[in-house]
């Protein structure tokens, strides 16, 4: 009497397995570029991070819904939220500049902001053309007038792409908080640096996401 029941159970199990097999589909490869584009579109018109912190030094509007982005021949995208006075010339190679910035990324799964010099109270300074800073930021600043605020979207080839590739010495420099800046300071921004490192100094990452920066140019020094 148990034989038919056992057969029925086996038949039922076979049916379930067949259904499960038919329903199962191999996982599809993730299109990182699509994810990157989606995050970029959200960031492009998001309220500019820097302005809330820049409120004491800028009267610029926080409405960025109508930003008009320009794409340079190198692929850099930028939009001016506030233009500096034309009477003050843009900086050029050999001059030291000082900026505040808010660094964000299109490649973060859990939020986009990485680090802010405004929050830290420590502007970023360097001499233009000295090789210490990513090309995308140098290009963006050279087109600004002191006092201006600009949002820039920096593609990987103008940012930290080399930090996630060979030679190993470049990777090690990035992982130790050295190499091309700007990089969140290891000693005083441990969490921010770790997040930066996981995204931009990671040799196992399959692609390099765009960097999004809100930049205020304070001026230049000889």
């Amino acid at each position: 009497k148990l034989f038919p029941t056992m057969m029925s159970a086996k038949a039922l199990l076979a049916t379930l397995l067949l259904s499960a097999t038919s329903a199962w589909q191999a996982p599809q490869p993730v299109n990182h570029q699509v994810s990157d584009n989606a995050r970029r579109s959200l960031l492009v018109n998001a309220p500019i991070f820097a302005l809330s912190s820049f409120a004491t030094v800028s009267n610029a509007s926080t409405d960025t819904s109508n930003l008009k982005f320009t794409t340079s021949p190198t692929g850099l995208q930028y939009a001016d939220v506030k233009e500096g006075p034309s009477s003050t010339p843009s900086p050029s190679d050999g001059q030291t500049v000082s900026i505040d910035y808010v660094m964000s990324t299109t490649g973060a799964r859990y939020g986009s902001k990485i680090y802010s010099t405004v929050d830290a109270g420590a502007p970023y300074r360097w001499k233009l053309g000295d090789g210490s800073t990513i090309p995308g930021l140098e290009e963006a600043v050279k087109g600004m007038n002191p006092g201006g605020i600009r949002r820039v979207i920096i593609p990987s080839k103008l940012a930290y792409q080399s930090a996630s590739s060979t030679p190993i010495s470049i990777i090690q420099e990035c992982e130790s908080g050295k190499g091309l800046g700007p990089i969140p300071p290891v000693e005083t921004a441990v969490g921010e640096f770790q997040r930066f490192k996981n995204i931009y100094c990671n040799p196992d990452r399959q692609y390099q996401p765009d960097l999004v920066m809100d930049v205020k140019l304070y001026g230049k020094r000889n």
Side-chain angles (χ1 to χ4, degrees), residues 8-9 22 33 71 124:
S8 298
S22 300
Q33 191 60 50
T71 302
Y124 178 68

Side-chain angles (χ1 to χ4, degrees), residues 1 5 12-13 24 26 28 55 61 64 86 92 99 112 120 145 169:
K1 293 182 179 180
T5 303
L12 177 61
L13 179 60
W24 183 85
Q28 299 298 310
S61 170
T64 58
S86 58
S92 56
I99 66 169
S112 58
N145 296 106
S169 59

Side-chain angles (χ1 to χ4, degrees), residues 112-126:
S112 58
K113 182 179 175 181
I114 296 179
Y115 178 72
S116 168
T117 59
V118 185
D119 296 340
Y124 178 68
R125 296 181 178 88
W126 81 102

Side-chain angles (χ1 to χ4, degrees), residues 41-59:
S41 66
L42 292 175
L43 282 171
V44 161
N45 291 321
I48 194 163
F49 300 111
L51 288 181
S52 59
S53 298
F54 291 156
T56 57
V57 293
S58 171
N59 294 319

Side-chain angles (χ1 to χ4, degrees), residues 126-204:
W126 81 102
K127 181 177 289 187
L128 285 173
D130 67 359
S132 67
T133 298
I134 56 175
L137 183 56
E138 288 225 332
E139 181 182 342
V141 167
K142 288 178 182 178
M144 298 176 67
N145 296 106
I149 297 176
R150 172 174 284 187
R151 171 166 291 176
V152 293
I153 302 175
I154 304 175
S156 58
K157 65 180 181 180
L158 300 177
Y160 304 102
Q161 188 174 54
S162 62
S164 64
S165 58
T166 55
I168 190 64
S169 59
I170 295 178
I171 300 175
Q172 292 173 338
E173 281 187 351
C174 187
E175 290 178 336
S176 62
K178 301 176 182 178
L180 288 179
I183 295 177
V186 179
E187 298 82 5
T188 57
V190 178
E192 292 90 340
F193 171 72
Q194 187 64 41
R195 190 177 188 196
F196 170 86
K197 184 176 75 170
N198 290 342
I199 298 173
Y200 290 106
C201 307
N202 188 351
D204 297 324

